[in-house]
Amino acid sequence: MAKKKLNKNWLHDHINDPYVKLAQKEGYRARAVYKLKEIDETEKLIKPGQVIVDLGATPGSWSQYVRNKLSGSVGGGINGTIIGLDMLPMEPIADVHFIQGDFREQEVLVQLEQVLQGRKADLVISDMAPNLSGIAVADAARMIDLIDLAIDFAQHHMKPSGSLLVKCFNGSGYSDIVGKFRDEFKTVVQKKPKASRDKSSEIFLLGKTLKNPL
Ligand SMILES: C[S@@+](CC[C@H](N)C(=O)[O-])C[C@H]1O[C@@H](n2cnc3c(N)ncnc32)[C@H](O)[C@@H]1O
């Protein structure tokens, strides 16, 4: 009974959510796009010519936004490279190279490396979140694991001057993640974009310029 009410409340909020309406109007696949857009507009992250890796890309609104920012030439095509990765399938987006696989698996990392062809990314963005079990400590550990892997990926495959943006939850283990970011990046900024629901402990961490690139 309580669960039914919760679902009904969620549905009510979702239908009346201005970002859901705006995403539908502007042709984006998810309201999540407005989180990236707000961060990009204040931090000026995405620029033509860049190599950008989008981790946890499905259904694809971040990749759509990045593609729009890298396009502009008459006659289509983009100026830059976009690689999206997700364990779930994604409807294709023109000019986005998509890899389906689990970021925690070595063979998926090898596929990413093959697409990069030795190039280093300018920007790595991660909206990945584990499926939540409801057990706070276990969920936090899985989130930290994904973020650790994203930091490790950035150290190996991002330009020293690049930036890493990751989604986190401001709960158990959060201060450790911030500490890790401070160890690895010269500048660390915490972001709570307006489209991130107030009720949610979701927060984004942006690290700029690697301290210890490999
Ligand atoms: C909130 S959604 C991303 C929404 C996306 N940024 C957009 O704008 O459309 C989070 C995604 O992370 C993916 N994900 C979670 N853990 C992952 C993992 N270990 N490897 C790859 N993808 C993962 C999920 O499958 C899910 O599609």
Side-chain angles (χ1 to χ4, degrees):
M1 191 70 173
K3 199 171 175 193
K4 250 189 187 165
K5 197 168 172 204
L6 212 65
N7 285 342
K8 224 173 146 189
N9 287 347
W10 181 87
L11 198 64
H12 177 269
D13 286 355
H14 189 74
I15 290 166
N16 291 295
D17 182 324
Y19 293 108
V20 171
K21 290 187 177 147
L22 197 58
Q24 281 163 354
K25 191 170 149 228
E26 296 189 335
Y28 285 109
R29 295 176 182 179
R31 69 188 293 291
V33 67
Y34 300 107
K35 304 173 193 172
L36 177 64
K37 184 168 186 267
E38 184 180 318
I39 296 171
D40 178 44
E41 283 173 355
T42 52
E43 300 293 331
K44 311 272 177 276
L45 296 175
I46 301 166
K47 300 188 184 97
Q50 288 180 330
V51 175
I52 299 180
V53 179
D54 179 10
L55 301 172
T58 300
S61 76
W62 282 23
S63 284
Q64 286 179 296
Y65 176 79
V66 172
R67 191 199 174 276
N68 289 346
K69 290 274 318 234
L70 298 189
S71 68
S73 61
V74 183
I78 56 164
N79 177 9
T81 302
I82 310 166
I83 306 167
L85 181 143
D86 204 291
M87 60 211 298
L88 298 176
M90 184 173 86
E91 283 290 315
I93 298 171
D95 307 307
V96 175
H97 190 115
F98 180 69
I99 298 166
Q100 187 180 347
D102 188 328
F103 185 60
R104 294 166 299 180
E105 287 174 9
Q106 183 60 26
E107 63 193 50
V108 176
L109 202 61
V110 170
Q111 282 184 54
L112 247 176
E113 284 164 355
Q114 279 165 355
V115 179
L116 280 168
Q117 295 175 318
R119 291 169 304 171
K120 297 234 169 184
D122 296 275
L123 177 65
V124 179
I125 52 181
S126 170
D127 200 15
M128 283 188 295
N131 285 330
L132 298 182
S133 66
I135 302 163
V137 185
D139 289 340
R142 284 152 80 198
M143 194 76 199
I144 292 169
D145 184 37
L146 284 176
I147 293 169
D148 276 343
L149 287 172
I151 294 174
D152 190 61
F153 177 78
Q155 281 173 327
H156 286 88
H157 298 291
M158 195 173 81
K159 290 178 186 164
S161 60
S163 298
L164 170 68
L165 175 71
V166 298
K167 172 159 73 186
C168 311
F169 293 111
N170 188 353
S172 158
Y174 179 65
S175 54
D176 290 347
I177 296 173
V178 175
K180 278 185 193 171
F181 260 68
R182 294 217 164 104
D183 288 344
E184 302 303 339
F185 294 95
K186 290 199 177 145
T187 308
V188 177
V189 192
Q190 302 178 53
K191 293 274 178 189
K192 177 78 178 170
K194 287 190 202 80
S196 185
R197 292 185 166 106
D198 289 341
K199 291 180 214 169
S200 156
S201 63
E202 174 185 83
I203 188 156
F204 291 83
L205 265 184
L206 175 64
K208 293 177 177 178
T209 313
L210 287 164
K211 280 185 181 169
N212 313 301
L214 298 171

